[in-house]
Amino acid sequence: MAPYESDDTTTAGEAGEPRTGRRRAARYVVPVTVMGVAAATIGLVPAIASSGDPDLPEITAAQLIEKIAQSDVERLSGTVKITTDLGLPDLGGLESGLMSGAAERGGDDGSSADPSAKLTELASGTHTLRIAADGPDRQKVSILENAAEYSLIHNGADVWGYDSKSNEVYHGTVDASGEAREQRPPATPRDFAEEALKAVDDTTSVTVDGTAQVAGRDAYKLVVEPKQSGSTVGAISIAVDHETGMPLKFTLTPSSGGAAVVDVGFTKVDFGAPAASTFEFTPPKGAKVTEGEPEHGREHSGKPERAPKSEEDLAKGLDGMKTLGKGWNTIATFDGGAGGGLPTGDAGGDLGGFVDSLGDRVKGEFGTGTVFSTRLINALITEDGTVYVGAVTKDALVKAADAGK
């Protein structure tokens, strides 16, 4: 099982953060997981090495996916570079300001070392991570920053987060029963690859496209592409280590072209056991320590901890959600609770003008609405407050809204 005891078939040993006793998974999700990719009817195209690429034995897509599934890497250390470019609207620095402000204020625990405060930063920009894993009970991931570093460490029953910039520490414990644990955020190519290969259906093509070298290791290239038109996903490329079967690089490119939406890959990797001292942590002298378990309830300073939101609270806005379409063209629709839609156009005054500047006004049989776009996920909010969202084009959202009327 995965280091954090999930229901997925993730192999133990992938670097990442252990789940603590409190469930805040919704805040940890990197945007690519919204995609819900169903990986595909498997093409039986063998790998053919190009000039200059590693000369590896031929393999089919079915065999390569099986190789990933059987990978049993439990120990590793290395460096991962992750770049996320969703193409969010330009808010004049507001987005980056809000992100950094959230990190400074911390999460529900009021600490900048709380994982929910720091790991959301991986949702945009380019970051370098140093990772290590030694079996299911010991993992460490560090986000390297300018003259600072954030580390999240799982060692046995303890989970430690440390922000060197603020000298703040977060401490939680792992529930040995596997219940009430948080879902860790994707941090390695394998995490992203497993999201893309969770299911197989007839809406997707999966093939092998030659070989490559990643982090000095020979690898096969697995390519996942939608067969359907209307998806914002162009292709997913996964470099799979020839020897271990572990994904070394994951790249998602949009159907609109240009730079990758998500690109995460090892620049260095070693499959030896990291030193035991890698996972040892003692709060530095003078550091503010915040306990993450609800039953502790108070920081070391005596300041009360804010109560976490329940999963029921987080799901209230999604009551009545249903899905339309299938595969890559799946669209989720629900009542956004906007009470008559967003304030747009002249009727919305200054606020309406601001909303219009962030989205595109559209019309259809459903009436009028506003489409908010990124390079991967688009969302349509109609004048009656209904929301349609998916990794599909604007036209696909309008057709779905028309069909719903």
Side-chain angles (χ1 to χ4, degrees), residues 233-286:
V233 177
I236 291 172
S237 176
I238 304 169
V240 183
D241 186 53
H242 162 61
E243 182 179 347
T244 68
M246 194 183 82
L248 300 174
K249 187 175 176 64
F250 173 98
T251 304
L252 186 155
T253 53
S255 57
S256 59
V261 174
V262 176
D263 185 61
V264 53
F266 283 97
T267 57
K268 296 180 181 178
V269 65
D270 185 327
F271 293 110
S277 59
T278 302
F279 309 101
E280 296 174 357
F281 180 79
T282 300
K285 184 177 180 180

Side-chain angles (χ1 to χ4, degrees), residues 179-197:
E179 298 179 358
R181 294 185 183 184
E182 290 176 304
Q183 191 176 53
R184 62 190 173 99
T188 70
R190 177 162 195 153
D191 296 326
F192 288 91
E194 287 177 342
E195 287 295 328
L197 296 174

Side-chain angles (χ1 to χ4, degrees), residues 30-32 80-87 121-129 186-189 192 249-254 258-267 375-376:
V30 173
V32 69
V80 172
K81 182 179 179 182
I82 178 170
T83 298
T84 308
D85 181 10
L86 285 171
E121 295 180 11
L122 301 181
S124 64
T126 297
H127 304 272
T128 298
L129 311 180
T188 70
F192 288 91
K249 187 175 176 64
F250 173 98
T251 304
L252 186 155
T253 53
V261 174
V262 176
D263 185 61
V264 53
F266 283 97
T267 57
R375 299 177 67 222
L376 182 65

Side-chain angles (χ1 to χ4, degrees), residues 45-60 63-64 67 208-214 216-222 238-246 248:
V45 180
I48 301 175
S50 301
S51 176
D53 290 332
D55 186 11
L56 300 177
E58 290 188 354
I59 191 170
T60 67
Q63 292 169 334
L64 189 52
K67 191 177 184 71
V208 179
D209 185 26
T211 64
Q213 270 219 335
V214 178
R217 297 186 64 87
D218 293 346
Y220 293 106
K221 294 189 294 184
L222 186 70
I238 304 169
V240 183
D241 186 53
H242 162 61
E243 182 179 347
T244 68
M246 194 183 82
L248 300 174

